[in-house]
């Protein structure tokens, strides 16, 4: 993962999968190339292979299960993500919380496969706890701001500055900020506050013109 | 789903995904064509698109989440399965139990999309309960026999005969038997006892020569 | 359980436990005796023994786990509820959904111990499914009305009438209606529509004068 | 919690609740007094009030939910445990794993109520992670040894010594060792290795003569 990190979580919108998913991914790829800026997209498990086959962006899973390979029905393992062309995974998103032992196991398994892991936390109290497990990144998102249109950068900048301070104990772990980010200014502010990048979902996936939004984000991120 | 149903659950073995997964699927397809017998395979979510693009077999999901489309991270919805080329889904496998309201919701959503739904139950007591929800099929599997190599046909034939009796109340729902099925004789016995087909996983996925096993199953199924 | 059923779910309000919990239970007992009408209360697991020791009302658990006795940490089993003086249990409340196999197991274990089981469902589609498992009662509660102050009796009477129709297939199972019930009129309407009684929580537990509310409910229930 | 910590987890054995539960608690109390050594017992939620009313031992919950007070059905909150006479709680036992945000919330809520919190972890990797959340104690238990009769002290002493090293970063947090502890020697070894005490369940609860076992443990703990 390269700074500034721009991570777009596709979630499960009707534009997140199938042809529409591929289409948005291609548009994002275009901007990524135009601005020579890496943009990470996390997509539903059904879409990893398809999207990773069609675009050069790093494609992440939105979640992986921590069970080993074997007699498990319905699970998505790091090995499957890797084999499908994925480069990493989100873990513990507020819409998909998992247990601490599962987080540890999924980080370790991902690391062995050279997959990045981005662990979401909802409060500063958990930054150190997750930091000890050495994921690639921690994404801090106050859940009350997710999808709200009120950005963490503006509404709760202290969440970012405190997390940036906390992450210094773990120099190999990056700190990303998310929740309610909708404008280029939100992105720039987060980075100025010390974050290595931002995570976003609805502002892009629900936009009439996702391209315009992503472009604004990338420009702002580069301008800092 | 056509009688006799032969459903092979790929689970999460190291042969269940990536190139190996595609390879086994192609071998199964070959036998399916040779014997003009439909064989259903259920595969990990990451593999649905890839395998469905390469083989003509009906590809099922191993599980679907019942959440609607929207701000959900890490979920696999019926819409995604459909869009990826899937034809149906397993639900409530003993390795992925879900709640009754989730089962009902997933069946209804699948039905609207013309996806088949196969709901697993672990005991006769639940056949009627699930029958009232009108899935395409119910797969009865005593969990203690799953992966045991001791087949339900031999060890507990009364489970099948009782389920066959119970399912008559729901003429549109098929009854499939599973757990421990390893030989052609197990398949034939299940069908003679009144099951519309069988479900199998380890006997195929862990076989040295999966083809031989599948071929034996298909022959036996057709011989009844 | 005797008709008309009046079931008050204590939930986890600050008045639901400790001295306050006992106090409310005693007030409810007073009305129960005054009107010679059975009133069932379901209380947190920590309160069953204490409240059952102090009042003559049937005390229910709000939930029981379905694991057997043994090496299980943190569980509440039917045996513990019985031993603590409980007479039954709620199951599958919308705030504590469980799986279909857990519901079946908990009903069976409760039945063996002569404990009543009241299984909550959120829609008519599940009435028959749960009916096949033969709990003592089914409590139908459209979740969007729970705690809303808008009663199922008024807002969605067809939910009750349809459930009453469906339950006839299971003559030994009672049908109770709940969600948003706040007035005596709501109670009377539910019973007139064919319900064997009502379930209520916030209207009593959050009332300034719980006694007045319970008294109104009992009077209305008896008046039908 | 005082050193040496001796924590007996009652779990859900048939001797863990009702009259038998009280009886065992009283026998443990006797030894506790005889040897002037604090012994903590964690008991099912239904038993906290009853046992805490009858014995002077510190009674802990086996688990608490992290939801706040309010419209929650079936939950056990720290407030309820406190009100019932409890002095603390186990959290995240391998038989009752919870999420990291739930662990954090439960620790904080317990601390505000002056309840002790003992968080179980299954591997050294999680000691620092949980340490950052400042529970009263961390109980490390390799799950493959739980109930095995093969003690962590003998089979995997390095688990204890490493954890003792790790916990030094958090001087206010105690480290307790558990899993498979059956003899006084196991207890003494754990304490010699640097643990502040031990956790035990089956060796006491399934013993023919629990008293003899507890007495041996206490003697050994005091002898170090």
């Amino acid at each position: 993962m390269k700074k500034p990190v721009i991570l777009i979580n596709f979630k499960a919108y009707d534009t997140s999968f199938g042809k529409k998913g591929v289409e948005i991914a291609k548009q994002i790829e275009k901007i990524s190339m135009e601005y020579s800026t890496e943009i990470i997209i996390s997509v539903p498990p059904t879409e990893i292979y398809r999207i990773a086959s069609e675009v050069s962006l790093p494609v992440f899973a939105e979640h992986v299960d921590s069970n080993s390979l074997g007699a498990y029905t319905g699970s998505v393992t790091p090995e499957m993500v890797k084999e499908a062309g994925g480069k990493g995974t989100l873990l513990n998103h507020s819409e998909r919380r998992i247990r601490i032992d599962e987080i540890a196991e999924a980080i370790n398994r991902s690391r062995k496969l050279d997959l990045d892991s981005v662990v979401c936390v909802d409060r500063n109290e958990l930054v150190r706890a997750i930091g000890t497990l050495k994921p690639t990144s921690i994404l801090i998102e106050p859940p009350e701001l997710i999808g709200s249109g009120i950005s963490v950068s503006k509404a709760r900048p202290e969440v970012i500055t405190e997390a940036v301070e906390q992450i210094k104990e773990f120099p190999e772990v990056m700190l990303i900020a998310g929740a309610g980010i909708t404008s280029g200014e939100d992105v720039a502010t987060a980075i100025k506050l010390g974050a290595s990048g931002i995570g976003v979902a609805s502002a892009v996936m629900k936009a009439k013109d996702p391209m315009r939004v992503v472009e604004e984000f990338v420009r702002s991120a580069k301008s800092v």
Side-chain angles (χ1 to χ4, degrees), chain A:
Chain A
M1 296 175 68
K2 295 173 197 158
K3 292 186 195 176
V5 175
I6 297 175
L7 190 162
I8 302 171
N9 182 11
F10 274 34
K11 296 199 177 181
Y13 296 109
D14 60 1
T15 52
S16 306
F17 60 97
K19 283 179 196 170
K20 288 182 187 169
V22 172
E23 197 182 315
I24 289 199
K26 285 191 171 170
Q27 293 180 318
I28 295 172
E29 182 189 35
K30 212 170 155 187
I31 293 173
S32 171
M33 290 170 115
E34 207 174 306
Y35 288 86
S36 303
T37 300
E38 186 179 279
I39 301 173
I40 297 168
I41 56 175
S42 58
V43 307
T46 48
E47 311 306 308
I48 298 172
Y49 178 79
R50 185 171 183 176
I51 292 180
S53 307
E54 303 232 16
V55 303
S56 58
L57 304 170
V59 176
F60 278 33
E62 293 177 2
H63 161 80
V64 292
D65 295 297
S66 57
N67 58 271
S68 57
L69 294 181
Y72 299 96
T73 293
S75 66
V76 178
T77 71
E79 292 80 5
M80 293 174 189
V81 170
K82 174 88 175 182
E83 186 71 31
K87 301 297 184 198
T89 188
L90 285 187
L91 289 169
N92 199 42
H93 189 279
S94 69
E95 292 152 13
R96 187 78 180 226
R97 291 272 180 250
I98 54 175
R99 302 183 326 236
I100 180 81
D101 54 308
E102 294 173 324
I103 296 174
E105 185 68 24
I107 290 173
N108 293 342
R109 295 264 299 285
S110 297
R111 192 188 297 120
K112 274 182 203 159
L113 296 166
D114 268 323
L115 294 175
D116 285 315
S117 54
V118 177
V119 181
C120 304
V121 299
D122 62 351
R123 63 189 98 167
N124 289 103
E125 190 183 14
L126 300 179
V127 171
R128 281 189 74 207
I130 300 299
T132 67
L133 304 175
K134 309 239 164 74
T136 315
S137 301
I138 292 176
L139 170 49
I140 189 157
E141 297 195 301
E144 72 278 12
L145 299 177
I146 292 179
S148 71
I150 302 166
S151 78
V152 63
S153 314
K154 271 185 214 150
R156 301 190 54 198
E158 76 284 1
V159 169
I160 302 181
T161 48
E162 193 182 333
V164 166
E165 209 48 50
Q166 294 167 315
I167 209 77
K168 287 182 182 163
E169 188 181 340
F170 313 96
E172 66 277 56
V173 183
M174 281 194 278
L175 191 280
I176 312 174
I181 287 182
T182 45
S183 71
E185 203 192 327
D186 295 335
V187 174
T189 305
I191 295 175
K192 280 179 197 153
L193 291 169
S196 293
I198 56 98
V200 69
S202 62
V204 171
M205 300 309 291
K206 294 172 76 176
K208 280 194 189 165
D209 184 357
M211 288 313 85
R212 206 198 50 66
V213 178
V214 177
E215 193 167 5
E216 185 185 328
F217 284 8
V218 173
R219 269 195 201 167
S220 293
K222 296 202 75 167
S223 73
V224 183

